[in-house]
Amino acid sequence: MTIIAPSILSADFTILGQEINAVENGGADWIHIDVMDGQFVPNITYGPIIVKASKKATNLPLDVHLMIKTPELIIPDFIKAGADFISVHAEACTHLHRTIQMIKNANVKAGVALNPATPTEAVEWIMDEIDFILVMSVNPGFGGQKFIKSSIKKIEKLAAMKEKKNPDLIIQVDGGVNEKTVQDIFNAGATSFVAGSYIFNAPDYKKQISLLKELAK
Ligand code: DX5
Ligand code: ZN
């Protein structure tokens, strides 16, 4: 099943609730919320209060992507705010296994995100413990960047690894997803697609979401 997760990073924050409703009505499956701390990535966005506000706006699962250092310090607040999926970066966690258990113990779906230069081996020994892997196909920090082509090989490798270790694992791709890249990403083995600028910078969100779904099947 193809999952489209619009990233609110590219939404109009003066009308966030309406933006979320519009993608929900347009066929979105999850709402992707990009949390940045100005340390792990060179940008600062928002924290638990935006997750809490988004929860009021929609019944769709909230997919919270933590691009922050020492995420374990604030994960409980994101759980309280209503996160349904939480991904942490392998590069940002000294004790990744412990952080993943912390998320899972709260009955929240747990994911590990990998930067473009991080090898697949970073998730090899945690793959059977997690619900999803987030493959960054741009350097995290900003919307609207160009898709990094080597991500395709990386997804293929992860897809082969998951067959042995955790067939139910969802491979999610984040960054530069659009009508030109989505098909190759899907063919490589990803089923969850984060898209920010491709959806929110267009006049008709439903059209964009439908096109991605049409191409990824
Ligand atoms: C980037 C974020 C992405 C971002 C994707 O650091 O993790 O979720 O919103 O934006 P697009 O789809 O415009 O590449
Ligand atoms: Zn993201």
Side-chain angles (χ1 to χ4, degrees):
M1 203 195 69
T2 297
I3 296 154
I4 304 295
S7 163
I8 60 167
L9 188 61
S10 293
D12 179 348
F13 271 79
T14 61
I15 49 163
L16 181 60
Q18 290 172 45
E19 293 276 76
I20 290 174
N21 292 336
V23 289
E24 180 168 8
N25 294 334
D29 301 287
W30 302 349
I31 300 297
H32 187 82
I33 304 180
D34 286 304
V35 178
M36 306 185 189
D37 65 353
Q39 299 252 340
F40 181 67
V41 290
N43 192 8
I44 299 178
T45 55
Y46 27 80
I49 56 169
I50 288 292
V51 174
K52 195 174 172 192
S54 304
K55 198 76 184 172
K56 279 195 204 155
T58 182
N59 289 321
L60 290 180
L62 301 182
D63 169 27
V64 178
H65 177 192
L66 299 180
M67 285 160 275
I68 64 177
K69 283 188 177 171
T70 55
E72 64 276 9
L73 301 180
I74 187 123
I75 282 171
D77 296 56
F78 282 102
I79 292 169
K80 221 183 291 160
D84 298 280
F85 292 78
I86 294 179
S87 55
V88 293
H89 271 262
E91 308 86 359
C93 297
T94 308
H95 299 287
L96 181 61
H97 189 277
R98 180 183 287 149
T99 304
I100 290 299
Q101 301 314 317
M102 184 181 189
I103 299 168
K104 284 172 59 174
N105 288 342
N107 284 322
V108 171
K109 303 281 184 205
V112 175
L114 300 179
N115 281 337
T118 302
T120 55
E121 282 74 17
V123 286
E124 189 175 353
W125 299 106
I126 193 114
M127 215 175 210
D128 55 343
E129 297 275 345
I130 55 181
D131 300 289
F132 66 112
I133 285 182
L134 185 162
V135 178
M136 283 305 311
S137 41
V138 298
N139 286 297
F142 304 95
Q145 303 180 80
K146 194 168 172 265
F147 184 81
I148 296 171
K149 285 210 177 91
S150 60
S151 315
I152 296 292
K153 283 245 156 60
K154 196 174 190 175
I155 299 159
E156 284 171 355
K157 207 168 162 192
L158 288 166
M161 280 164 77
K162 90 165 200 172
E163 284 317 312
K164 281 192 203 145
K165 295 202 174 225
N166 183 358
D168 294 333
L169 185 80
I170 295 171
I171 299 179
Q172 180 177 56
V173 176
D174 186 2
V177 172
N178 58 42
E179 62 202 37
K180 292 194 192 92
T181 55
V182 72
Q183 230 159 2
D184 288 346
I185 300 169
F186 176 78
N187 290 336
T191 54
S192 172
F193 302 84
V194 176
S197 53
Y198 177 72
I199 294 173
F200 284 107
N201 290 359
D204 185 346
Y205 302 167
K206 189 178 184 160
K207 192 175 146 201
Q208 305 300 98
I209 293 167
S210 309
L211 233 131
L212 291 180
K213 286 199 174 181
E214 196 52 44
L215 292 167
K217 72 175 187 199

